Amino acid sequence: MTGLPYFPTDRRTLLRSSMLLGAGAALLPGAGFAQSDARAAIRAAAAANTAADIKRIQDWIALPTIAAENRNVPEGAAYMEELARAAGFTGVRQVPTDGVPGVVGFMDNGARQTLGIYFMYDVKQFDPAEWSSPPLEARIVDKPDWGKAIMGRGAVNQKGPEATFLAALHAMKAAGVTPPVNIALICEGEEEIGSPHFRQIAETPDVLAALKKCSGIFIPASWQGPTGAVNVNLGSKGVVELELVASGEKWGRGPKGDIHSSQKAAVDSPVWRLVHALNTLVTPDGNTVAIDGWFENVRPLTEREKELVRQAAAAGNEELTKASLGITHWIDDLSFEDAMIRLAGQPTVNIEGLVAGYTGPGGKTVLPGRGVAKLDLRLVPNQTRDEAVRKLRAHLDAQGFPDVEVNVSGGYDPTETAEDSALIRAELAAYAALGVEARLNPRLAGSWPGATFTAPPVSIPAGHFGLGHGSGAHAPDEYYVVESTNPKVAGITDATMGYVEIMYQLAALA
């Protein structure tokens, strides 16, 4: 599921962020809800539960599970179990993996349709010194143009939206209303490191059986911009996260550890070797992948997909989008429309970080014995994670870098969901009932492990759904709006009712 004012830029949300400005919406309290049915009672219960719903988010933020640091792993899984049980799920348990455990729960409401819900209970690392408010205190702050918001690590990515989905179940329980769908809940604690063991959870026999009954599955999201409009994503790019490591020890040249930099005149540098290896992965401008065979399985965007991108770009605000990203030009000086088409359709190799030698204040004259480049590879249909890693390794070998290590930490394939699937139809119907403008988006440039659901053996539609607003995922000062001052953007009660609405819309599908 990162800090721009209203443009999340984490690996799940970048395309959406650049295409919605200018679209109009009218989110009104209770909009789309027939006052004679159960929704009115549910809304009253949701409003009464507001303080408890906000505290639920704050308490969850106070207990961060950070897989990359092995922080609070047992505690995080146990807390996820507590949240699921309190919301009414049965059969709640931890599912062990070769890494961090998952959590599953089920709700059999005797309904005809079953809805799958995906949660991640882990969050990104943080440096408290970079925050204006302590990242684990989840204080309520004023966000100009948005309203009151919870600020803390995980506020919008993804604990705020997920806890708001749970708030919908609490409101239905308080109103004495049985949800109109059955629900299968599947949670993981490793999404922020690329979900390396998530398939082990999803393919556990009883979990797999429950998932296969679902008409679709979504991750709760809060992606409304200032106009209130939302995107309905028909897919997401895949991702591979990895490190390339060059060392004197593996190379057989250069030092095994750091030595005095004066020795460079006589000794090879593993860090320069890493730089040269990186240069072979892309064209000289860094903009196009040059790994051997990289594009042979890439499925180009269809004309329908390109048209959807063009429509969104035409309705957008290019200058405001550039400002939100802190840029003045698109890649290769492309037009806004062409840049957005490229964003949806192009696979990438990105350097997340470079680490070697001394990086503290001042200088330290060393010749490092080891250099590390942290990369992410974004994949489009019909690429796969395994193919990408295999081709990267073969390319480095062919270019004369067999000693450069490729250490994969996680990742997953791209995902695609049919426009006429039950999940997408229910999402569009729910947004329409709420008076929210929704625009079909062919592919999210960010990534999430939806391929676990869309590919065999699960093979169900998967996507994102939700109202509300937040930003700053992966960045300092992450926040989630709970009391909106923008009438077109949902606060926590309206966002809660959004999850109620999609349940009723899915239940009504033939």
Side-chain angles (χ1 to χ4, degrees):
M1 336 230 152
T2 169
L4 297 171
Y6 47 84
F7 283 108
T9 56
D10 65 283
R11 60 176 181 259
R12 287 165 295 282
T13 61
L14 187 55
L15 179 60
R16 180 208 62 82
S17 71
S18 52
M19 297 170 64
L20 286 181
L21 290 180
L27 181 73
L28 302 174
F33 295 131
Q35 296 303 303
S36 61
D37 67 18
R39 294 170 175 85
I42 298 168
R43 169 172 282 278
N49 286 350
T50 298
D53 294 338
I54 291 173
K55 187 174 187 303
R56 186 178 299 111
I57 300 170
Q58 292 173 310
D59 289 347
W60 201 2
I61 288 172
L63 180 66
T65 297
I66 303 177
E69 298 176 348
N70 198 31
R71 180 174 178 180
N72 290 331
V73 168
E75 296 85 351
Y79 198 77
M80 186 66 251
E81 286 184 281
E82 291 179 23
L83 289 170
R85 290 193 184 97
F89 288 97
T90 60
V92 176
R93 72 180 196 279
Q94 293 186 30
V95 178
T97 73
D98 292 336
V100 176
V103 173
V104 297
F106 310 96
M107 190 178 293
D108 184 353
N109 296 314
R112 184 172 55 88
Q113 300 272 17
T114 299
L115 173 65
I117 298 295
Y118 165 85
F119 277 13
M120 49 183 281
Y121 66 84
D122 61 323
V123 299
K124 272 293 185 187
Q125 307 94 311
F126 56 86
D127 180 355
E130 299 176 341
W131 289 63
S132 65
S133 179
L136 300 185
E137 290 189 11
R139 294 178 183 174
I140 302 294
V141 302
D142 289 317
K143 297 296 295 183
D145 302 322
W146 295 107
K148 294 189 179 299
I150 299 172
M151 182 171 288
R153 176 51 84 224
V156 72
N157 183 27
Q158 289 293 132
K159 291 180 176 179
E162 290 170 351
T164 304
F165 178 83
L166 298 178
L169 298 179
H170 281 277
M172 297 177 96
K173 185 189 302 184
V177 176
T178 300
V181 293
N182 309 316
I183 306 173
L185 175 69
I186 181 168
C187 317
E188 69 161 318
E190 292 183 315
E191 198 283 337
E192 295 292 10
I193 59 170
S195 304
H197 304 104
F198 185 52
R199 282 192 176 273
Q200 295 179 13
I201 304 168
E203 295 180 13
T204 299
D206 67 320
V207 179
L208 177 59
L211 289 173
K212 288 177 75 69
K213 295 177 182 177
C214 294
S215 301
I217 188 167
F218 69 78
I219 177 173
S222 295
W223 293 350
Q224 287 184 288
T227 67
V230 295
N231 262 11
V232 174
N233 299 310
L234 301 178
S236 300
K237 288 185 179 179
V239 69
V240 184
E241 290 193 300
L242 57 88
E243 292 181 341
L244 297 187
V245 182
S247 65
E249 182 176 6
K250 290 285 186 181
W251 186 19
R253 304 181 66 88
K256 293 184 179 179
D258 294 359
I259 62 174
H260 197 281
S261 67
S262 64
Q263 296 297 320
K264 180 64 195 79
V267 178
D268 293 305
S269 167
V271 179
W272 277 117
R273 183 161 180 80
L274 176 63
V275 170
H276 293 321
L278 290 170
N279 280 338
T280 73
L281 303 182
V282 293
T283 53
D285 59 8
N287 291 345
T288 302
V289 183
I291 295 171
D292 299 334
W294 186 253
F295 288 91
E296 67 180 356
N297 291 324
V298 167
R299 179 181 72 72
L301 292 174
T302 66
E303 285 307 311
R304 166 66 174 165
E305 289 170 331
K306 289 180 182 179
E307 182 56 31
L308 290 174
V309 176
R310 292 188 186 103
Q311 291 173 8
N317 185 317
E318 180 179 7
E319 292 309 311
L320 201 52
T321 301
K322 283 181 175 178
S324 73
L325 295 170
I327 64 171
T328 56
H329 296 82
W330 298 112
I331 200 168
D332 298 332
D333 290 322
L334 294 176
S335 68
F336 185 36
E337 178 182 293
D338 288 341
M340 295 303 97
I341 289 175
R342 195 178 194 278
L343 181 63
Q346 188 82 357
T348 61
V349 170
N350 175 60
I351 300 175
E352 297 177 350
L354 292 168
V355 183
Y358 178 71
T359 59
K364 184 179 181 183
T365 50
V366 295
L367 192 170
R370 185 175 186 267
V372 178
K374 294 180 177 290
L375 306 184
D376 63 67
L377 320 178
R378 299 285 173 173
L379 312 176
V380 301
N382 294 315
Q383 292 179 296
T384 68
R385 166 188 156 158
D386 290 346
E387 171 202 1
V389 173
R390 183 176 67 253
K391 287 180 175 177
L392 172 62
R393 178 72 270 168
H395 172 88
L396 290 170
D397 292 347
Q399 293 292 319
F401 298 99
D403 54 287
V404 174
E405 301 171 66
V406 178
N407 299 326
V408 178
S409 58
Y412 33 79
D413 296 345
T415 181
E416 293 186 279
T417 290
E419 189 175 333
D420 62 353
S421 67
L423 178 69
I424 299 303
R425 288 187 289 130
E427 289 191 18
L428 292 172
Y431 288 133
L434 293 162
V436 174
E437 181 174 349
R439 192 182 304 279
L440 287 173
N441 175 28
R443 186 178 303 147
L444 190 68
S447 306
W448 74 295
T452 299
F453 307 118
T454 58
V458 181
S459 302
I460 60 173
H464 313 75
F465 179 83
L467 299 177
H469 169 78
S471 190
H474 297 194
D477 289 353
E478 180 180 355
Y479 68 89
Y480 176 67
V481 172
V482 291
E483 184 181 322
S484 176
T485 55
N486 182 335
K488 296 180 179 180
V489 174
I492 192 167
T493 299
D494 281 317
T496 296
M497 295 308 296
Y499 294 121
V500 172
E501 186 63 32
I502 192 171
M503 292 186 217
Y504 277 102
Q505 294 296 340
L506 182 63
L509 290 181

